[in-house]
Structure formats: structure tokens, C-alpha cells
Amino acid sequence: MTVTINAHQLGRVIDKTISHMGAEDIKVLHGIRLDVDARYLYAVASDRFTMAVARYRLADGERDQEPFARTIPGDKLPALREWISSMKGATYITIGLAADREDRLVFDSPLSAFTITTAVGLEFPDWRGLLRGVSEQTTDREPFPAINSRMLARFGDTEEILRVRITSDEKAALLFGENFIGALMPARYSGVGAVKNETLTVCQDWWLWTLAAGDKTVDMADLPRPEPSRHEAPKDVRQTGADLLRGVLYSLDSSMEADWAEDREAWLAHIAAGVADWRAYRYLDALHQADPRAARQVVADTAEQLDDGEIGEWAWDTAEEAGHKPAQWKEEREKAVAKQMAKQPAMWARRLAQGLNHAKSAGIGFRIDDNPFVTYDAEAEKWKAIHPIPAEIPA
């Protein structure tokens, strides 16, 4: 009965749920419940007013084994989280029960182990049944529950986009994510007194005088958006993703406009730019799904490096630190360029010939003096670039 999860993902499921655990005076809820079934490892926490469940899908080889569950006491969580943070995110941690003590939960990594003594006799609530009931509850009335904003803010630790289902003023609201599910009880007390049972009409009346002067056709989707800067790299993940996708589409459109036969380098450059933007977008999207905080930090750091204007130095130093040989890359490229130049005229001369041919096709009159760079091929009826004649070396 063991499961394996990397340190990064284990830290995430704890971070998503730790703010929901109960206080010390509710011993059974004072901690995070690690629950393993045939497919997932779950971290579960509740303080009676909120409940949070984060899950991690087990590897194929670890599924369909005997389930187990233990509650990590709240006073042990800070030390466990610090132990997890001391490792690289990709470090795998094996979680299981000790062979000689069923009350001991063991977290084992390649370099160290962390053992926690749990209270086996404490029966954690049936969280699956509770959330199933909330997800299936129905009502004929229009729900308008009161929500405690401080409790709602706890769900920000998921750093996910959550869907919300509200069915009743007296029942819990449900929050859904792909690997997170939570519940939020409606507020019943405000200070020492009960929350007043206001209806939607009553609340609208509170603001009627203020809002009456507004135009009902205005929508939040119409609010002004920041103009993308042409000089500064965006520091927002969503804007960065949009810029990358726009770059892919622009590059593909430009490649369709380039002349493969006459300007192959431009065609290849557009394709290479589109491929690079698409790869960057896929990597950013994957990072954001795995760890939104890391994605935000990477985007912000990259924006600063781009604005610094020294990405060539950044790339060179990073390549050397990674054990690569950028000096060799530079030498290989220079040799490749020199070899290409020996076979065909310079790129700027070929583009000059292409421009002259376009001008000729458009009926534009012009005259070109004799020169060693472009010449008119009367038989083919078009301008061609030529190799410049090397200057003679004086004897």
C-alpha cells in the first residue's frame, strides 16, 4: 500500500487544502486527510464551514491496490511542508504505512524520510458522500445565499478557474475544478446576530438610487483593455499566451506570402518563428496547468530579461552553464553561412533582384546602371542576382 508523487505535486495538494482545516478544538478536523483509492491520491480538509479536496492521478502501475487513508495532524503539517520544499520539484516521494506500525505514515524520498504518527481511531467524515449530496441537491427556488467573503477567499489557494453551483440559501455551494472540489456553507451569523434574510429585491432596492442613472446595455465585456505594448514584453500569463498564438498565426500568414523559389530564407524564417512561438505556447500552457505560480514567475522574469535587451548574453551564459558549447555553435554557423554564400549571391542581392522583378511586373519604369550585383537576363526576361567579382589582389 504505497503511492508515488513528485514533491511539487504533493506540495500543491497540501497548499490547496491547508487553509480549510479545522481548529485545534475539533481534533478530527485539525489536519489534512490523505486518502488513496484505486485511481487518485486526495488531500482533504474542512473546518465545518468550508471543505476542500485536491487530487492527484496515480500512475498506471499504482492503481487498483488496496485503499488507505490517514489524517496528518495540523501541528505536523508545517514541518512536512518544509521538508517537501527542501527538495527539487521533480523528486519522487513514496507515501505508505509503516510495515510495523499502522498508525505511522511514511514519506520516503531518495535522500531522506519523514514519518508521522497519526490517530487511527479518529473517524474522518464521509467527505465523498457529503460532496455527492451537495452536487445532486436541487431546488425550485431562485437561490440567493449570503457568502462570507473571508471564507470564499480561501479558495484562492487553488489558483484555478472554478465553476460554482448554488442551489439553496441554506445548503452549501459547490466549487468544481478538474482536480479540485470544494464546498462553502452559506453565512448564518453576522457578528453576534443572525444574517438578515434579505431577498434579491431588497438588495436591489439598497442600490436603486445609485444605479438608476446607469445604462442597462453596458456590459463588463465592453470595458477598456490595455493596449499591447510594442516595446515591452508582457508580464501577464494570459497576455503572453495570446501574443504567442498571434505570433504563430502571423508567421504562417507571412510564410504564405513569401516566395519559396525567390526568397527561401524569408519563408524558412517565418516558419521557424511560428514553430518557436507554438512550442513556447505549449510549454507555457503545460507549466500553467502544473503550477500557475511558477508560470507567473517565469513570464515575469522572462519579460525583464527581454526588456533588458541582452538576451544574446543570457542565452550564451545559460548554454555554458548547461554544459553546451555556444562558441562551437557560433563557429559552425559562420562556416555554414560562408559555404552558402560561396554557392549563391548574397541574400540582399537576391532580394534586390526580386524587388526589381516585382516593380517590372507592376509596370514601374526604372533604369539600373551596370553593377556587379544584379543583371537582367533577357532570355528569361527577369532580373537575377549575381556573385560579385572578387577584386584582384595586386602583385
Side-chain angles (χ1 to χ4, degrees):
M1 295 190 298
T2 61
V3 294
T4 304
I5 180 174
N6 67 43
H8 167 70
Q9 293 293 343
L10 180 57
R12 284 205 74 203
V13 297
I14 290 176
D15 291 345
K16 288 181 179 182
T17 53
I18 193 169
S19 61
H20 298 266
M21 73 176 184
E24 296 180 3
D25 57 347
I26 313 176
K27 192 172 183 181
V28 68
L29 297 180
H30 184 55
I32 290 179
R33 183 76 163 179
L34 280 189
D35 194 328
V36 178
D37 63 17
R39 292 189 178 183
Y40 295 95
L41 177 148
Y42 305 88
V44 187
S46 176
D47 62 356
R48 294 178 58 246
F49 304 104
T50 68
M51 175 173 283
V53 181
R55 71 182 183 184
Y56 172 79
R57 190 175 183 86
L58 302 178
D60 292 341
E62 295 185 336
R63 297 179 192 171
D64 301 321
Q65 60 178 323
E66 184 179 350
F68 68 92
R70 293 292 185 273
T71 300
I72 304 171
D75 58 348
K76 304 295 184 184
L77 281 168
L80 173 62
R81 190 64 183 89
E82 184 175 353
W83 178 75
I84 296 170
S85 298
S86 69
M87 306 176 195
K88 291 185 177 180
T91 303
Y92 278 101
I93 298 173
T94 300
I95 306 173
L97 302 178
D100 56 340
R101 292 275 300 271
E102 68 171 11
D103 64 336
R104 287 187 176 176
L105 190 62
V106 180
F107 299 80
D108 193 13
S109 77
L111 297 178
S112 61
F114 194 96
T115 302
I116 296 176
T117 301
T118 64
V120 180
L122 291 177
E123 185 174 352
F124 198 82
D126 179 7
W127 60 269
R128 289 179 176 85
L130 187 153
L131 293 174
R132 178 180 179 178
V134 176
S135 69
E136 295 178 355
Q137 66 193 15
T138 59
T139 182
D140 294 330
R141 299 177 56 189
E142 180 182 3
F144 191 56
I147 299 296
N148 186 312
S149 58
R150 290 185 297 106
M151 293 181 182
L152 182 61
R154 298 177 188 174
F155 292 94
D157 293 335
T158 65
E159 296 193 318
E160 295 182 19
I161 300 298
L162 302 176
R163 291 191 176 273
V164 182
R165 183 172 190 264
I166 300 175
T167 59
S168 170
D169 290 6
E170 300 298 323
K171 300 291 185 179
L174 201 62
L175 296 93
F176 282 102
E178 183 177 359
N179 287 301
F180 179 87
I181 186 171
L184 172 63
M185 286 294 292
R188 295 174 179 171
Y189 302 97
S190 176
V192 295
V195 172
K196 295 181 180 180
N197 189 27
E198 292 97 354
T199 65
L200 176 60
T201 301
V202 170
C203 293
Q204 288 173 330
D205 287 343
W206 291 346
W207 287 86
L208 181 60
W209 187 89
T210 300
L211 304 181
D215 182 353
K216 293 189 293 184
T217 64
V218 178
D219 190 275
M220 288 193 69
D222 301 325
L223 293 178
R225 299 181 182 183
E227 292 293 333
S229 172
R230 297 179 59 88
H231 307 289
E232 295 184 3
K235 298 182 180 180
D236 176 73
V237 173
R238 179 176 174 81
Q239 184 60 52
T240 300
D243 286 352
L244 291 171
L245 290 175
R246 186 187 298 112
V248 173
L249 298 177
Y250 283 5
S251 296
L252 293 179
D253 287 344
S254 297
S255 70
M256 297 297 291
E257 297 166 0
D259 190 325
W260 162 259
E262 297 293 336
D263 201 353
R264 187 169 301 184
E265 287 78 7
W267 186 89
L268 291 172
H270 292 312
I271 293 298
V275 169
D277 280 347
W278 180 245
R279 291 169 65 182
Y281 172 79
R282 291 301 305 275
Y283 297 155
L284 176 60
D285 182 56
L287 177 60
H288 188 259
Q289 295 296 330
D291 190 348
R293 286 174 294 186
R296 288 197 298 269
Q297 188 62 51
V298 168
V299 167
D301 291 346
T302 304
E304 290 184 5
Q305 293 171 350
L306 293 174
D307 292 340
D308 183 54
E310 301 294 338
I311 58 174
E313 294 183 11
W314 285 99
W316 186 284
D317 293 342
T318 302
E320 286 188 327
E321 292 171 2
H324 301 302
K325 299 177 180 179
Q328 181 178 334
W329 294 346
K330 184 175 185 296
E331 182 181 349
E332 290 172 351
R333 181 184 180 280
E334 290 175 347
K335 289 181 179 180
V337 171
K339 184 178 180 180
Q340 182 181 16
M341 293 296 292
K343 292 181 179 180
Q344 58 185 359
M347 182 184 297
W348 65 265
R350 286 181 277 128
R351 289 184 176 171
L352 173 58
Q354 184 181 23
L356 294 174
N357 288 324
H358 287 321
K360 178 177 176 294
S361 298
I364 300 174
F366 56 87
R367 181 176 65 85
I368 301 295
D369 293 332
D370 291 340
N371 65 84
F373 308 108
V374 293
T375 185
Y376 185 71
D377 187 335
E379 184 177 349
E381 296 185 346
K382 67 178 183 179
W383 290 87
K384 291 183 177 180
I386 57 177
H387 279 291
I389 300 174
E392 294 184 4
I393 301 177

